Structure formats: structure tokens, C-alpha cells
Amino acid sequence: MTKFIFVTGGVVSSLGKGITTAAIAVLLEKRGLRVSIQKLDPYINVDPGTMSPFEHGEVYVTEDGAETDLDLGHYERFSQAPINRYSNATTGSIYSEVIRKERLGAYLGKTVQVIPHITDEIQSAIEQGAQRGTDVAVIEIGGTAGDIESLPFLEAIRQFALKKGKGNACFVHLTLLPYLSASGEMKTKPTQQSVGKLREIGIQPDILVCRCERPMTQEMRDKISLFCNVQPEDVIQEADVETTIYEVPLDLKREGLDDSLVQHLQLEATTSASMEDWEDLRQRFANPEGEVEIAVVGKYIELHDAYKSIYEALAHGGAGHRHKVRFRKIAAEDLFDRGPERLLDGVHGVLVPGGFGERGLEGKILAVRYAREHELPFFGICFGMQAMVIEYARHVAVIEGAHTSEVDPGCKAPVIDLMREQRDVTDKGGTMRLGAYPCRILDGTRAAAIYGRDMVLERHRHRWEFNNDYKRKLEKAGLRCSGIYEARGLVEIAELSERPFYLGVQYHPEYKSKPLQPHPLFAAFVGAAIDYSRGETAAAAAQTLEAEA
Ligand code: GLN
């Protein structure tokens, strides 16, 4: 029988509830348990696919092609939990389902209401999200206790836990202990108040995870325990991490969070829980042997979350090589205005991530050109790969009017064009080419050397594609199409094979990179950047030698 952990948040948003949820899964997996994870989001969008990255951060795509909240990225990076379209539900998806059933006549004769119809639907989503064979399902509730929007979700989990009975469900509440420098102390009042909010609606948290800048004293733990009606050993400290979010499982383990959970849920768990792999990872982040700087040239650069998985995947690649990756975040438009010579000088690699629409495209193309002409390692992802193809078509293959029909539908040479099956699509939600597709890697290419396999599954999220009408011309000019989706003959990877790393992919490899298993492409890209930086160091050393002589 599956047991359930509900993770709620209080006081403020952005406390790292997603990371804490993911870390809980890691700790339970370490105790020999099979875990699933789910996120319930109180917003009305059916999924975040139609939201701007500025609004909501990156859209995370699952293997089965769902567009989901970026917290699912944390879940997949940290844990082994199976993540799919049932792993994320929203107010929008719940209401759509209830309204669909109402039209079918499923509630014939009844007035359809938030309680019980919406709350019942939320509960079936929770059952569905707890995948078969799961020992423990961890469910994160988006938003903050006290929000109007999250009320139906909180009511639903209260009912759900009641039905499951004692020992089968538990509540973890993540809160903040703000530090007031004026009085030099950490405050527990907001925590008490947010626990009060939960208790008003009938939820008594079993465990409190307290985010704090400084360590908690025993006195504070006792006080929180007393006022919030939680055992002292269930008051868990989650202090700010020193170097990487991947320290969180180690910190929570040290605090005994897994023991608390095992006890509340009466779980049959193993005791051995070596955290050696995570400890090794922490070391790699804390004591890097060197640093490289990668330019990320995009449209939504002001918001770190907009390219969350990209930055994480680069960091994983770096950790694999025991190197720290510094990001030089460059707005593509800025690059266009101020020129690549100024903005890209000194970087060891250039990455152009995915994107949509006209703004910034010419800046991205300039970045690609600069990388090609300066033999910098280059990695283009989705729109970045499309920019790489346009750049090559314009300046090397000299195809006049080369462009993407996304930006200029009437262009003379749409080297990137809308997929045929996309032409009649009018709905915007969930209608792109989404999810995992197999890609055949061609022998003797850079991609083959990096992957070491001839078939890979990678995740997509786009409407436009490499236009095969220009394939011969581009290949003749030296651009190698090294990965193909054979069922449709679609080009998924393009590269300059003689370069250590000059490669673009139509898919999003960043979704599949994990800290303990860096994605081969990101590992290779960062590796090439490290080599480049050494070459640069060697060149600089030679120069100083020359100068001295
Ligand atoms: N806008 C491009 C397309 O739809 C690329 C999308 C992306 O980068 N995710 O094809």
C-alpha cells in the first residue's frame, strides 16, 4: 500500500519547496523505498506551456510530452521517481476534467461544487500520480498556506489523509525563520502564524522544515515545537546551502528528516543509507580544480529560472570534470546592439538556448557567427540550433535570404520551416512537437563519439524544423547532419565534425541531465570549453614568454 507525504509551504514563496520535496525523495530512496513525486499547482492555466518564461520560469517537458512546472525538473534531477504527465496537476486541469464530466452528465441531478466535486477530482489526481508499485508518494502543493487559490488543494489533502488513516499520510510544512539583523535574532512568529493557517483548515503539520540563514539553537527548536504542536525532533533545520542545491539531501539527512518520515509513516525501510555519491558530488562543487566561463545568449536572460535546466546541466557537466562553470548571461538584443567582440570576449564557450519569436534572434545569430569564426566551443539548443543553421546558411553556404519562417514567413530561403502537421494547428496549448523521440546518430560524427551510442531518446518542444530542401546545400558547405529522426527524416543534430564541439540539437538535452549522471553533450561541451581555456592559458603563457624574451 502506498503512503503519502504532503509538502506545503508557508510565510513566503521561493523557499525551495521543490528542492526540499526532491531531497525527501532522495532520502527515502536511500532507505530502499520506491518513491513517486507529484506537484499540484493552484494556477488556472491547464499547464504552464502557454506562460511566459518571465512569468513562470522554464517549462519542463516530460518524456511522455507533458509541459509542466519546473519543479519537476528538480524531481527528475535528484531522484529516480518516474515523472510523467500525471506528475503535475493544476487548478486548470482539475476544473477542465470536472467540467468535461459535467457535460457528459456524470453528475446528473447534482449541483457541481468545489466540495466535493473539485476536491474529489484532486484526490483522484493524487491517486493517479502515485504510480503503481510506489511505497511512498510525495506531493508538493504549490503556493503558500493562506492563498485563496490553494484552499481547495489543502481541503482535498486534509480529506485524503483522513481517509487513508493515521500512519498512512503525513504533512511536512516548509517555513521561513527570518533573521532580523537589527535585533540580531531569528524570528519564529511567521512560522507559528503559517502553521496556524493550516490548523484553521484542519491540517496539523507532522514535520516542520525551517529555512534559515543561520543555524537554529535548541531553544528555538523547543519554542517552535511547543507553539506549533510538533515534536522537537520533527523540527528540521534547512539552512542556506554554501555552494550547491545538491547539498540539501545531505543537510536534511544530517537533521534526521528521513527518520522522522519513516517513523510517522511506520515505513518498513532499510537502515543503511550511504550518502557517499552525494558527498562526492558536494566535494566536486565545493573544491573545483578549475573554472570555465560559458556565455548563455538568450532572450529571457534576466530570470535565472527561465533557463533553469540549462544552467543545471552545465553545472553537472562542470562537476563531472571537477570544474566550476561560471555563466556569463547575455541578453541577445544587447549582443546585437553592443557587438559580440565586446560581450563575448574571454568566454570559453557559447551556448544559445531555446526560444520563440523574433526578438533577439539576430543577436543570437551574431553569437553563433562569433563562436564559429573564433573556433569557440558552441552549443545550440532548439532555437539555438536553428540560429546555428541560419548562420551557416547565410555566411558559409551563402544561401540568399536564409531565415526561419517563424520570424519571416515570406523569406526567400526558409532553412528552418514549420512542420507540415503544424500548418493547420491553431490552439497554442500542448500542440507543439512534444516529448521524447528516437534519434539515430550517424557513424563517424562528433555526436556519435560523444554519445557512444547510435540511438538516443531526447525530448522536444518546438514547431519549426530543419528544412530538408536545403540539406544538400548545407552539407556540401560542411555542416554535417549527424542525428536523424528516421520515421520522418527530420534532422535533429547538426555539427561541424572537425571541431571539438560545434553542435546544435533540435531537442532539449538539458531535461535529461542529472548531477550524478551529467548529460554526455553537456559534459562534452564543458570539456571542450576547459580544453579551450587551457589552450588560451597556454597561448597567454607563450605570449608572456615571448614578451619577456
Ligand atoms: N521557436 C522554435 C520553434 O518553435 C524553437 C522552440 C524552442 O527553442 N523550444 O521551433
Side-chain angles (χ1 to χ4, degrees), residues 37-40 46-48 60-69 72 76 82-90 93 125 128-131 429-436 459:
I37 322 183
Q38 187 182 35
K39 172 103 193 262
L40 302 179
V46 171
D47 62 43
Y60 188 76
V61 179
T62 59
E63 201 77 355
D64 63 345
E67 297 178 283
T68 71
D69 188 79
L72 275 78
E76 257 198 301
I83 298 297
N84 55 38
R85 59 179 60 254
Y86 300 110
S87 313
N88 195 190
T90 67
S93 70
Q128 214 166 17
Q131 329 250 333
T431 54
M432 286 189 240
R433 181 182 179 206
L434 287 167
R459 298 182 197 169

mmCIF file of all heavy atoms in Angstrom, residues 37-40 46-48 60-69 72 76 82-90 93 125 128-131 429-436 459:
data_model
loop_
_atom_site.group_PDB
_atom_site.id
_atom_site.type_symbol
_atom_site.label_atom_id
_atom_site.label_comp_id
_atom_site.label_asym_id
_atom_site.label_seq_id
_atom_site.Cartn_x
_atom_site.Cartn_y
_atom_site.Cartn_z
ATOM 1 N N ILE A 37 6.734 11.261 -7.165
ATOM 2 C CA ILE A 37 6.600 12.665 -6.761
ATOM 3 C C ILE A 37 5.586 13.348 -7.668
ATOM 4 O O ILE A 37 5.518 13.054 -8.870
ATOM 5 C CB ILE A 37 7.938 13.451 -6.866
ATOM 6 C CG1 ILE A 37 9.125 12.594 -6.453
ATOM 7 C CG2 ILE A 37 7.870 14.721 -6.029
ATOM 8 C CD1 ILE A 37 10.442 13.353 -6.478
ATOM 9 N N GLN A 38 4.851 14.265 -7.084
ATOM 10 C CA GLN A 38 3.833 14.984 -7.857
ATOM 11 C C GLN A 38 3.762 16.429 -7.387
ATOM 12 O O GLN A 38 4.025 16.730 -6.226
ATOM 13 C CB GLN A 38 2.479 14.300 -7.624
ATOM 14 C CG GLN A 38 1.355 14.823 -8.475
ATOM 15 C CD GLN A 38 0.040 14.127 -8.134
ATOM 16 O OE1 GLN A 38 -0.209 13.792 -6.983
ATOM 17 N NE2 GLN A 38 -0.794 13.914 -9.135
ATOM 18 N N LYS A 39 3.407 17.308 -8.324
ATOM 19 C CA LYS A 39 3.233 18.714 -7.959
ATOM 20 C C LYS A 39 1.797 19.132 -8.277
ATOM 21 O O LYS A 39 1.309 18.900 -9.384
ATOM 22 C CB LYS A 39 4.225 19.576 -8.765
ATOM 23 C CG LYS A 39 4.016 21.079 -8.630
ATOM 24 C CD LYS A 39 5.033 21.705 -7.707
ATOM 25 C CE LYS A 39 4.705 23.119 -7.298
ATOM 26 N NZ LYS A 39 5.395 24.133 -8.078
ATOM 27 N N LEU A 40 1.150 19.752 -7.317
ATOM 28 C CA LEU A 40 -0.189 20.293 -7.546
ATOM 29 C C LEU A 40 -0.081 21.807 -7.568
ATOM 30 O O LEU A 40 0.338 22.415 -6.575
ATOM 31 C CB LEU A 40 -1.142 19.839 -6.434
ATOM 32 C CG LEU A 40 -1.286 18.322 -6.263
ATOM 33 C CD1 LEU A 40 -2.246 17.998 -5.124
ATOM 34 C CD2 LEU A 40 -1.776 17.660 -7.556
ATOM 35 N N VAL A 46 -4.069 25.367 -17.651
ATOM 36 C CA VAL A 46 -4.129 23.897 -17.639
ATOM 37 C C VAL A 46 -2.721 23.333 -17.441
ATOM 38 O O VAL A 46 -2.518 22.334 -16.760
ATOM 39 C CB VAL A 46 -4.791 23.390 -18.938
ATOM 40 C CG1 VAL A 46 -4.670 21.876 -19.062
ATOM 41 C CG2 VAL A 46 -6.262 23.796 -18.955
ATOM 42 N N ASP A 47 -1.750 23.992 -18.055
ATOM 43 C CA ASP A 47 -0.341 23.686 -17.789
ATOM 44 C C ASP A 47 0.462 24.959 -18.036
ATOM 45 O O ASP A 47 -0.090 25.935 -18.568
ATOM 46 C CB ASP A 47 0.151 22.496 -18.638
ATOM 47 C CG ASP A 47 0.072 22.779 -20.132
ATOM 48 O OD1 ASP A 47 0.438 23.902 -20.553
ATOM 49 O OD2 ASP A 47 -0.338 21.898 -20.899
ATOM 50 N N PRO A 48 1.759 24.991 -17.663
ATOM 51 C CA PRO A 48 2.489 26.252 -17.824
ATOM 52 C C PRO A 48 2.964 26.492 -19.261
ATOM 53 O O PRO A 48 3.634 27.489 -19.518
ATOM 54 C CB PRO A 48 3.678 26.097 -16.875
ATOM 55 C CG PRO A 48 3.869 24.634 -16.737
ATOM 56 C CD PRO A 48 2.541 23.983 -16.941
ATOM 57 N N TYR A 60 9.065 22.749 -18.157
ATOM 58 C CA TYR A 60 9.794 21.477 -18.141
ATOM 59 C C TYR A 60 8.984 20.439 -18.909
ATOM 60 O O TYR A 60 7.770 20.329 -18.722
ATOM 61 C CB TYR A 60 9.999 21.026 -16.686
ATOM 62 C CG TYR A 60 10.892 19.829 -16.561
ATOM 63 C CD1 TYR A 60 12.274 19.945 -16.702
ATOM 64 C CD2 TYR A 60 10.357 18.565 -16.337
ATOM 65 C CE1 TYR A 60 13.097 18.845 -16.608
ATOM 66 C CE2 TYR A 60 11.179 17.458 -16.239
ATOM 67 C CZ TYR A 60 12.546 17.600 -16.373
ATOM 68 O OH TYR A 60 13.355 16.502 -16.282
ATOM 69 N N VAL A 61 9.644 19.710 -19.792
ATOM 70 C CA VAL A 61 8.949 18.732 -20.628
ATOM 71 C C VAL A 61 9.300 17.315 -20.167
ATOM 72 O O VAL A 61 10.461 16.980 -19.973
ATOM 73 C CB VAL A 61 9.325 18.921 -22.114
ATOM 74 C CG1 VAL A 61 8.621 17.881 -22.984
ATOM 75 C CG2 VAL A 61 8.965 20.319 -22.577
ATOM 76 N N THR A 62 8.263 16.506 -19.991
ATOM 77 C CA THR A 62 8.485 15.123 -19.552
ATOM 78 C C THR A 62 8.694 14.220 -20.768
ATOM 79 O O THR A 62 8.382 14.598 -21.897
ATOM 80 C CB THR A 62 7.272 14.606 -18.762
ATOM 81 O OG1 THR A 62 6.115 14.690 -19.607
ATOM 82 C CG2 THR A 62 7.032 15.437 -17.509
ATOM 83 N N GLU A 63 9.172 13.016 -20.494
ATOM 84 C CA GLU A 63 9.410 12.035 -21.555
ATOM 85 C C GLU A 63 8.127 11.816 -22.386
ATOM 86 O O GLU A 63 8.177 11.733 -23.601
ATOM 87 C CB GLU A 63 9.866 10.722 -20.891
ATOM 88 C CG GLU A 63 10.625 9.772 -21.787
ATOM 89 C CD GLU A 63 12.079 10.144 -22.045
ATOM 90 O OE1 GLU A 63 12.539 11.228 -21.603
ATOM 91 O OE2 GLU A 63 12.762 9.353 -22.724
ATOM 92 N N ASP A 64 6.982 11.751 -21.718
ATOM 93 C CA ASP A 64 5.728 11.499 -22.450
ATOM 94 C C ASP A 64 5.092 12.785 -22.985
ATOM 95 O O ASP A 64 3.925 12.795 -23.374
ATOM 96 C CB ASP A 64 4.732 10.697 -21.592
ATOM 97 C CG ASP A 64 4.299 11.441 -20.327
ATOM 98 O OD1 ASP A 64 4.961 12.441 -19.961
ATOM 99 O OD2 ASP A 64 3.298 11.033 -19.714
ATOM 100 N N GLY A 65 5.867 13.878 -22.988
ATOM 101 C CA GLY A 65 5.433 15.071 -23.715
ATOM 102 C C GLY A 65 4.500 16.011 -22.983
ATOM 103 O O GLY A 65 3.791 16.782 -23.614
ATOM 104 N N ALA A 66 4.489 15.990 -21.653
ATOM 105 C CA ALA A 66 3.692 16.982 -20.931
ATOM 106 C C ALA A 66 4.538 18.220 -20.681
ATOM 107 O O ALA A 66 5.735 18.122 -20.422
ATOM 108 C CB ALA A 66 3.191 16.404 -19.610
ATOM 109 N N GLU A 67 3.899 19.394 -20.773
ATOM 110 C CA GLU A 67 4.579 20.654 -20.444
ATOM 111 C C GLU A 67 4.244 20.947 -18.997
ATOM 112 O O GLU A 67 3.074 21.139 -18.653
ATOM 113 C CB GLU A 67 4.093 21.772 -21.357
ATOM 114 C CG GLU A 67 4.421 21.508 -22.813
ATOM 115 C CD GLU A 67 3.903 22.599 -23.731
ATOM 116 O OE1 GLU A 67 2.680 22.612 -24.001
ATOM 117 O OE2 GLU A 67 4.708 23.425 -24.183
ATOM 118 N N THR A 68 5.255 20.991 -18.155
ATOM 119 C CA THR A 68 4.988 21.008 -16.715
ATOM 120 C C THR A 68 5.800 22.077 -15.987
ATOM 121 O O THR A 68 6.665 22.730 -16.563
ATOM 122 C CB THR A 68 5.348 19.648 -16.075
ATOM 123 O OG1 THR A 68 6.777 19.506 -16.058
ATOM 124 C CG2 THR A 68 4.727 18.482 -16.823
ATOM 125 N N ASP A 69 5.525 22.159 -14.695
ATOM 126 C CA ASP A 69 6.221 23.085 -13.815
ATOM 127 C C ASP A 69 7.706 22.733 -13.693
ATOM 128 O O ASP A 69 8.074 21.561 -13.711
ATOM 129 C CB ASP A 69 5.579 22.973 -12.438
ATOM 130 C CG ASP A 69 6.098 24.040 -11.508
ATOM 131 O OD1 ASP A 69 5.633 25.180 -11.625
ATOM 132 O OD2 ASP A 69 6.978 23.737 -10.683
ATOM 133 N N LEU A 72 9.375 19.919 -11.504
ATOM 134 C CA LEU A 72 9.505 18.522 -11.925
ATOM 135 C C LEU A 72 10.913 18.231 -12.416
ATOM 136 O O LEU A 72 11.375 17.097 -12.369
ATOM 137 C CB LEU A 72 8.475 18.161 -13.002
ATOM 138 C CG LEU A 72 7.109 17.755 -12.430
ATOM 139 C CD1 LEU A 72 6.316 18.962 -11.994
ATOM 140 C CD2 LEU A 72 6.320 16.920 -13.420
ATOM 141 N N GLU A 76 13.261 15.137 -11.164
ATOM 142 C CA GLU A 76 13.942 14.173 -12.030
ATOM 143 C C GLU A 76 15.449 14.215 -11.850
ATOM 144 O O GLU A 76 16.123 13.205 -11.950
ATOM 145 C CB GLU A 76 13.582 14.415 -13.507
ATOM 146 C CG GLU A 76 12.583 13.406 -14.007
ATOM 147 C CD GLU A 76 12.490 13.286 -15.515
ATOM 148 O OE1 GLU A 76 12.189 14.295 -16.173
ATOM 149 O OE2 GLU A 76 12.710 12.177 -16.036
ATOM 150 N N PRO A 82 9.622 8.060 -11.245
ATOM 151 C CA PRO A 82 9.131 8.166 -12.628
ATOM 152 C C PRO A 82 8.303 9.447 -12.777
ATOM 153 O O PRO A 82 7.361 9.667 -12.023
ATOM 154 C CB PRO A 82 8.243 6.925 -12.786
ATOM 155 C CG PRO A 82 7.854 6.532 -11.398
ATOM 156 C CD PRO A 82 8.918 7.023 -10.477
ATOM 157 N N ILE A 83 8.688 10.292 -13.718
ATOM 158 C CA ILE A 83 7.996 11.570 -13.893
ATOM 159 C C ILE A 83 7.277 11.563 -15.241
ATOM 160 O O ILE A 83 7.891 11.292 -16.274
ATOM 161 C CB ILE A 83 9.014 12.742 -13.843
ATOM 162 C CG1 ILE A 83 9.716 12.802 -12.479
ATOM 163 C CG2 ILE A 83 8.343 14.077 -14.166
ATOM 164 C CD1 ILE A 83 8.813 13.085 -11.292
ATOM 165 N N ASN A 84 5.990 11.836 -15.223
ATOM 166 C CA ASN A 84 5.218 11.855 -16.471
ATOM 167 C C ASN A 84 4.039 12.817 -16.343
ATOM 168 O O ASN A 84 3.989 13.597 -15.396
ATOM 169 C CB ASN A 84 4.742 10.437 -16.828
ATOM 170 C CG ASN A 84 3.953 9.820 -15.677
ATOM 171 O OD1 ASN A 84 3.185 10.503 -14.999
ATOM 172 N ND2 ASN A 84 4.157 8.535 -15.451
ATOM 173 N N ARG A 85 3.104 12.747 -17.298
ATOM 174 C CA ARG A 85 2.022 13.745 -17.328
ATOM 175 C C ARG A 85 1.128 13.693 -16.086
ATOM 176 O O ARG A 85 0.413 14.638 -15.799
ATOM 177 C CB ARG A 85 1.203 13.636 -18.604
ATOM 178 C CG ARG A 85 0.532 12.300 -18.855
ATOM 179 C CD ARG A 85 -0.274 12.356 -20.156
ATOM 180 N NE ARG A 85 0.588 12.664 -21.295
ATOM 181 C CZ ARG A 85 0.610 13.834 -21.915
ATOM 182 N NH1 ARG A 85 -0.156 14.824 -21.507
ATOM 183 N NH2 ARG A 85 1.396 14.014 -22.954
ATOM 184 N N TYR A 86 1.169 12.611 -15.344
ATOM 185 C CA TYR A 86 0.367 12.551 -14.116
ATOM 186 C C TYR A 86 1.100 13.179 -12.935
ATOM 187 O O TYR A 86 0.584 13.256 -11.827
ATOM 188 C CB TYR A 86 -0.006 11.104 -13.791
ATOM 189 C CG TYR A 86 -0.804 10.487 -14.901
ATOM 190 C CD1 TYR A 86 -0.258 9.486 -15.705
ATOM 191 C CD2 TYR A 86 -2.090 10.949 -15.191
ATOM 192 C CE1 TYR A 86 -0.979 8.946 -16.761
ATOM 193 C CE2 TYR A 86 -2.809 10.425 -16.245
ATOM 194 C CZ TYR A 86 -2.253 9.422 -17.028
ATOM 195 O OH TYR A 86 -2.959 8.915 -18.072
ATOM 196 N N SER A 87 2.328 13.583 -13.158
ATOM 197 C CA SER A 87 3.127 14.134 -12.061
ATOM 198 C C SER A 87 2.838 15.609 -11.800
ATOM 199 O O SER A 87 3.435 16.198 -10.920
ATOM 200 C CB SER A 87 4.619 13.960 -12.371
ATOM 201 O OG SER A 87 4.889 12.650 -12.805
ATOM 202 N N ASN A 88 1.987 16.225 -12.594
ATOM 203 C CA ASN A 88 1.685 17.641 -12.404
ATOM 204 C C ASN A 88 0.201 17.869 -12.690
ATOM 205 O O ASN A 88 -0.297 17.469 -13.722
ATOM 206 C CB ASN A 88 2.537 18.475 -13.377
ATOM 207 C CG ASN A 88 2.603 19.963 -13.049
ATOM 208 O OD1 ASN A 88 3.095 20.752 -13.843
ATOM 209 N ND2 ASN A 88 2.132 20.394 -11.899
ATOM 210 N N ALA A 89 -0.523 18.436 -11.731
ATOM 211 C CA ALA A 89 -1.915 18.814 -11.979
ATOM 212 C C ALA A 89 -2.080 20.251 -11.532
ATOM 213 O O ALA A 89 -1.356 20.725 -10.656
ATOM 214 C CB ALA A 89 -2.865 17.898 -11.216
ATOM 215 N N THR A 90 -3.039 20.959 -12.153
ATOM 216 C CA THR A 90 -3.240 22.372 -11.822
ATOM 217 C C THR A 90 -4.737 22.587 -11.573
ATOM 218 O O THR A 90 -5.561 21.723 -11.924
ATOM 219 C CB THR A 90 -2.835 23.276 -12.997
ATOM 220 O OG1 THR A 90 -3.753 23.051 -14.076
ATOM 221 C CG2 THR A 90 -1.424 22.988 -13.480
ATOM 222 N N SER A 93 -6.315 22.059 -14.884
ATOM 223 C CA SER A 93 -6.530 20.693 -15.374
ATOM 224 C C SER A 93 -7.627 19.997 -14.569
ATOM 225 O O SER A 93 -8.427 19.234 -15.119
ATOM 226 C CB SER A 93 -5.219 19.885 -15.352
ATOM 227 O OG SER A 93 -4.810 19.597 -14.030
ATOM 228 N N ALA A 125 -6.593 12.745 -8.798
ATOM 229 C CA ALA A 125 -5.305 13.094 -9.427
ATOM 230 C C ALA A 125 -4.149 12.628 -8.542
ATOM 231 O O ALA A 125 -3.109 12.177 -9.043
ATOM 232 C CB ALA A 125 -5.227 14.596 -9.666
ATOM 233 N N GLN A 128 -3.757 8.953 -8.959
ATOM 234 C CA GLN A 128 -3.196 8.674 -10.269
ATOM 235 C C GLN A 128 -1.693 8.999 -10.315
ATOM 236 O O GLN A 128 -0.924 8.324 -10.970
ATOM 237 C CB GLN A 128 -3.928 9.511 -11.305
ATOM 238 C CG GLN A 128 -4.061 8.831 -12.625
ATOM 239 C CD GLN A 128 -5.067 9.555 -13.491
ATOM 240 O OE1 GLN A 128 -5.431 10.716 -13.247
ATOM 241 N NE2 GLN A 128 -5.523 8.885 -14.528
ATOM 242 N N GLY A 129 -1.328 10.057 -9.598
ATOM 243 C CA GLY A 129 0.076 10.474 -9.581
ATOM 244 C C GLY A 129 0.953 9.507 -8.806
ATOM 245 O O GLY A 129 2.143 9.386 -9.069
ATOM 246 N N ALA A 130 0.365 8.832 -7.842
ATOM 247 C CA ALA A 130 1.124 7.824 -7.089
ATOM 248 C C ALA A 130 1.222 6.593 -7.975
ATOM 249 O O ALA A 130 0.275 5.853 -8.113
ATOM 250 C CB ALA A 130 0.386 7.487 -5.801
ATOM 251 N N GLN A 131 2.359 6.462 -8.627
ATOM 252 C CA GLN A 131 2.468 5.452 -9.669
ATOM 253 C C GLN A 131 2.479 4.045 -9.068
ATOM 254 O O GLN A 131 2.791 3.861 -7.910
ATOM 255 C CB GLN A 131 3.738 5.704 -10.469
ATOM 256 C CG GLN A 131 4.098 7.184 -10.518
ATOM 257 C CD GLN A 131 3.926 7.834 -11.851
ATOM 258 O OE1 GLN A 131 4.020 7.165 -12.859
ATOM 259 N NE2 GLN A 131 3.663 9.127 -11.874
ATOM 260 N N GLY A 429 -2.019 25.630 -26.727
ATOM 261 C CA GLY A 429 -1.653 24.789 -25.579
ATOM 262 C C GLY A 429 -1.434 23.330 -25.936
ATOM 263 O O GLY A 429 -2.320 22.669 -26.477
ATOM 264 N N GLY A 430 -0.233 22.830 -25.631
ATOM 265 C CA GLY A 430 0.062 21.406 -25.784
ATOM 266 C C GLY A 430 0.070 20.914 -27.216
ATOM 267 O O GLY A 430 -0.169 19.735 -27.480
ATOM 268 N N THR A 431 0.337 21.814 -28.191
ATOM 269 C CA THR A 431 0.243 21.378 -29.586
ATOM 270 C C THR A 431 1.582 21.377 -30.326
ATOM 271 O O THR A 431 1.631 21.160 -31.523
ATOM 272 C CB THR A 431 -0.729 22.291 -30.370
ATOM 273 O OG1 THR A 431 -0.302 23.655 -30.192
ATOM 274 C CG2 THR A 431 -2.151 22.141 -29.865
ATOM 275 N N MET A 432 2.682 21.624 -29.615
ATOM 276 C CA MET A 432 3.977 21.580 -30.296
ATOM 277 C C MET A 432 4.403 20.128 -30.500
ATOM 278 O O MET A 432 3.720 19.207 -30.071
ATOM 279 C CB MET A 432 5.030 22.297 -29.437
ATOM 280 C CG MET A 432 4.883 23.785 -29.452
ATOM 281 S SD MET A 432 6.298 24.572 -28.646
ATOM 282 C CE MET A 432 5.455 25.434 -27.357
ATOM 283 N N ARG A 433 5.555 19.933 -31.133
ATOM 284 C CA ARG A 433 6.138 18.590 -31.154
ATOM 285 C C ARG A 433 6.743 18.402 -29.772
ATOM 286 O O ARG A 433 7.716 19.051 -29.416
ATOM 287 C CB ARG A 433 7.217 18.511 -32.227
ATOM 288 C CG ARG A 433 7.855 17.133 -32.330
ATOM 289 C CD ARG A 433 8.956 17.130 -33.384
ATOM 290 N NE ARG A 433 9.588 15.818 -33.485
ATOM 291 C CZ ARG A 433 10.824 15.625 -33.915
ATOM 292 N NH1 ARG A 433 11.571 16.669 -34.269
ATOM 293 N NH2 ARG A 433 11.319 14.409 -33.974
ATOM 294 N N LEU A 434 6.140 17.525 -28.980
ATOM 295 C CA LEU A 434 6.476 17.438 -27.554
ATOM 296 C C LEU A 434 6.901 16.042 -27.136
ATOM 297 O O LEU A 434 6.360 15.045 -27.605
ATOM 298 C CB LEU A 434 5.255 17.830 -26.719
ATOM 299 C CG LEU A 434 4.884 19.313 -26.681
ATOM 300 C CD1 LEU A 434 3.491 19.502 -26.096
ATOM 301 C CD2 LEU A 434 5.909 20.100 -25.873
ATOM 302 N N GLY A 435 7.862 15.990 -26.250
ATOM 303 C CA GLY A 435 8.233 14.726 -25.618
ATOM 304 C C GLY A 435 9.343 13.997 -26.359
ATOM 305 O O GLY A 435 9.965 14.538 -27.281
ATOM 306 N N ALA A 436 9.596 12.772 -25.943
ATOM 307 C CA ALA A 436 10.770 12.043 -26.432
ATOM 308 C C ALA A 436 10.545 11.418 -27.804
ATOM 309 O O ALA A 436 9.487 10.847 -28.077
ATOM 310 C CB ALA A 436 11.146 10.961 -25.437
ATOM 311 N N ARG A 459 14.096 14.780 -25.690
ATOM 312 C CA ARG A 459 12.794 15.439 -25.583
ATOM 313 C C ARG A 459 12.676 16.724 -26.405
ATOM 314 O O ARG A 459 13.596 17.533 -26.415
ATOM 315 C CB ARG A 459 12.519 15.783 -24.118
ATOM 316 C CG ARG A 459 12.454 14.547 -23.271
ATOM 317 C CD ARG A 459 12.129 14.876 -21.840
ATOM 318 N NE ARG A 459 12.474 13.728 -21.006
ATOM 319 C CZ ARG A 459 12.509 13.741 -19.691
ATOM 320 N NH1 ARG A 459 12.224 14.859 -19.045
ATOM 321 N NH2 ARG A 459 12.834 12.664 -19.015
#
